[in-house]
mmCIF file of all heavy atoms in Angstrom:
data_model
loop_
_atom_site.group_PDB
_atom_site.id
_atom_site.type_symbol
_atom_site.label_atom_id
_atom_site.label_comp_id
_atom_site.label_asym_id
_atom_site.label_seq_id
_atom_site.Cartn_x
_atom_site.Cartn_y
_atom_site.Cartn_z
ATOM 1 N N ILE V 412 -16.255 25.496 -19.713
ATOM 2 C CA ILE V 412 -16.870 25.779 -21.013
ATOM 3 C C ILE V 412 -15.821 26.260 -21.984
ATOM 4 O O ILE V 412 -15.193 27.314 -21.740
ATOM 5 C CB ILE V 412 -17.998 26.823 -20.869
ATOM 6 C CG1 ILE V 412 -19.011 26.388 -19.772
ATOM 7 C CG2 ILE V 412 -18.713 27.029 -22.198
ATOM 8 C CD1 ILE V 412 -19.679 25.064 -20.009
ATOM 9 N N ILE V 413 -15.619 25.531 -23.063
ATOM 10 C CA ILE V 413 -14.609 25.887 -24.056
ATOM 11 C C ILE V 413 -15.280 26.548 -25.263
ATOM 12 O O ILE V 413 -16.302 26.062 -25.746
ATOM 13 C CB ILE V 413 -13.827 24.616 -24.530
ATOM 14 C CG1 ILE V 413 -13.341 23.826 -23.334
ATOM 15 C CG2 ILE V 413 -12.690 25.019 -25.444
ATOM 16 C CD1 ILE V 413 -12.375 24.541 -22.424
ATOM 17 N N GLY V 414 -14.726 27.657 -25.724
ATOM 18 C CA GLY V 414 -15.280 28.392 -26.836
ATOM 19 C C GLY V 414 -14.755 27.894 -28.171
ATOM 20 O O GLY V 414 -13.933 26.976 -28.265
ATOM 21 N N LYS V 415 -15.206 28.513 -29.243
ATOM 22 C CA LYS V 415 -14.878 28.066 -30.586
ATOM 23 C C LYS V 415 -13.393 28.251 -30.913
ATOM 24 O O LYS V 415 -12.858 27.609 -31.834
ATOM 25 C CB LYS V 415 -15.747 28.763 -31.607
ATOM 26 C CG LYS V 415 -15.638 30.286 -31.640
ATOM 27 C CD LYS V 415 -16.591 30.881 -32.632
ATOM 28 C CE LYS V 415 -16.516 32.412 -32.638
ATOM 29 N NZ LYS V 415 -17.487 32.992 -33.603
ATOM 30 N N ASP V 416 -12.715 29.158 -30.173
ATOM 31 C CA ASP V 416 -11.296 29.359 -30.430
ATOM 32 C C ASP V 416 -10.416 28.368 -29.665
ATOM 33 O O ASP V 416 -9.172 28.412 -29.738
ATOM 34 C CB ASP V 416 -10.875 30.804 -30.075
ATOM 35 C CG ASP V 416 -11.173 31.156 -28.622
ATOM 36 O OD1 ASP V 416 -11.667 30.274 -27.876
ATOM 37 O OD2 ASP V 416 -10.890 32.313 -28.235
ATOM 38 N N GLY V 417 -11.043 27.434 -28.915
ATOM 39 C CA GLY V 417 -10.314 26.417 -28.176
ATOM 40 C C GLY V 417 -9.910 26.839 -26.798
ATOM 41 O O GLY V 417 -9.361 26.031 -26.062
ATOM 42 N N TYR V 418 -10.167 28.097 -26.410
ATOM 43 C CA TYR V 418 -9.824 28.566 -25.080
ATOM 44 C C TYR V 418 -11.032 28.447 -24.130
ATOM 45 O O TYR V 418 -12.193 28.487 -24.567
ATOM 46 C CB TYR V 418 -9.377 30.037 -25.103
ATOM 47 C CG TYR V 418 -8.057 30.254 -25.801
ATOM 48 C CD1 TYR V 418 -7.983 31.058 -26.940
ATOM 49 C CD2 TYR V 418 -6.893 29.697 -25.291
ATOM 50 C CE1 TYR V 418 -6.761 31.265 -27.572
ATOM 51 C CE2 TYR V 418 -5.681 29.929 -25.898
ATOM 52 C CZ TYR V 418 -5.608 30.709 -27.043
ATOM 53 O OH TYR V 418 -4.412 30.905 -27.674
ATOM 54 N N ALA V 419 -10.733 28.317 -22.832
ATOM 55 C CA ALA V 419 -11.790 28.282 -21.835
ATOM 56 C C ALA V 419 -12.484 29.630 -21.744
ATOM 57 O O ALA V 419 -11.835 30.668 -21.640
ATOM 58 C CB ALA V 419 -11.214 27.882 -20.484
ATOM 59 N N LEU V 420 -13.826 29.601 -21.765
ATOM 60 C CA LEU V 420 -14.598 30.831 -21.609
ATOM 61 C C LEU V 420 -14.898 31.124 -20.146
ATOM 62 O O LEU V 420 -14.766 32.278 -19.683
ATOM 63 C CB LEU V 420 -15.933 30.729 -22.362
ATOM 64 C CG LEU V 420 -15.871 30.645 -23.890
ATOM 65 C CD1 LEU V 420 -17.232 30.328 -24.453
ATOM 66 C CD2 LEU V 420 -15.310 31.914 -24.456
ATOM 67 N N GLY V 435 -22.901 23.194 -28.250
ATOM 68 C CA GLY V 435 -23.827 23.681 -29.259
ATOM 69 C C GLY V 435 -25.148 24.183 -28.714
ATOM 70 O O GLY V 435 -25.962 24.749 -29.463
ATOM 71 N N VAL V 452 -23.818 31.539 -22.961
ATOM 72 C CA VAL V 452 -22.688 30.999 -23.723
ATOM 73 C C VAL V 452 -23.155 29.785 -24.506
ATOM 74 O O VAL V 452 -24.079 29.059 -24.096
ATOM 75 C CB VAL V 452 -21.511 30.617 -22.811
ATOM 76 C CG1 VAL V 452 -20.964 31.842 -22.098
ATOM 77 C CG2 VAL V 452 -21.899 29.560 -21.799
ATOM 78 N N THR V 453 -22.502 29.562 -25.621
ATOM 79 C CA THR V 453 -22.740 28.380 -26.439
ATOM 80 C C THR V 453 -21.430 27.606 -26.496
ATOM 81 O O THR V 453 -20.481 27.992 -27.202
ATOM 82 C CB THR V 453 -23.178 28.743 -27.858
ATOM 83 O OG1 THR V 453 -24.335 29.559 -27.804
ATOM 84 C CG2 THR V 453 -23.505 27.496 -28.677
ATOM 85 N N PRO V 454 -21.314 26.520 -25.723
ATOM 86 C CA PRO V 454 -20.056 25.793 -25.671
ATOM 87 C C PRO V 454 -19.718 25.090 -26.978
ATOM 88 O O PRO V 454 -20.616 24.562 -27.648
ATOM 89 C CB PRO V 454 -20.280 24.762 -24.568
ATOM 90 C CG PRO V 454 -21.525 25.171 -23.853
ATOM 91 C CD PRO V 454 -22.325 25.933 -24.855
ATOM 92 N N THR V 455 -18.458 25.075 -27.328
ATOM 93 C CA THR V 455 -17.966 24.232 -28.383
ATOM 94 C C THR V 455 -17.555 22.882 -27.783
ATOM 95 O O THR V 455 -17.674 21.833 -28.412
ATOM 96 C CB THR V 455 -16.776 24.880 -29.093
ATOM 97 O OG1 THR V 455 -17.211 26.112 -29.687
ATOM 98 C CG2 THR V 455 -16.203 23.971 -30.174
ATOM 99 N N GLU V 456 -17.079 22.938 -26.554
ATOM 100 C CA GLU V 456 -16.667 21.742 -25.814
ATOM 101 C C GLU V 456 -16.997 21.974 -24.366
ATOM 102 O O GLU V 456 -16.930 23.073 -23.858
ATOM 103 C CB GLU V 456 -15.163 21.518 -26.004
ATOM 104 C CG GLU V 456 -14.602 20.312 -25.300
ATOM 105 C CD GLU V 456 -13.084 20.223 -25.409
ATOM 106 O OE1 GLU V 456 -12.470 21.026 -26.169
ATOM 107 O OE2 GLU V 456 -12.492 19.327 -24.754
#
Side-chain angles (χ1 to χ4, degrees):
I412 307 300
I413 310 298
K415 60 183 179 182
D416 59 1
Y418 292 118
L420 294 172
V452 298
T453 304
T455 298
E456 180 185 355

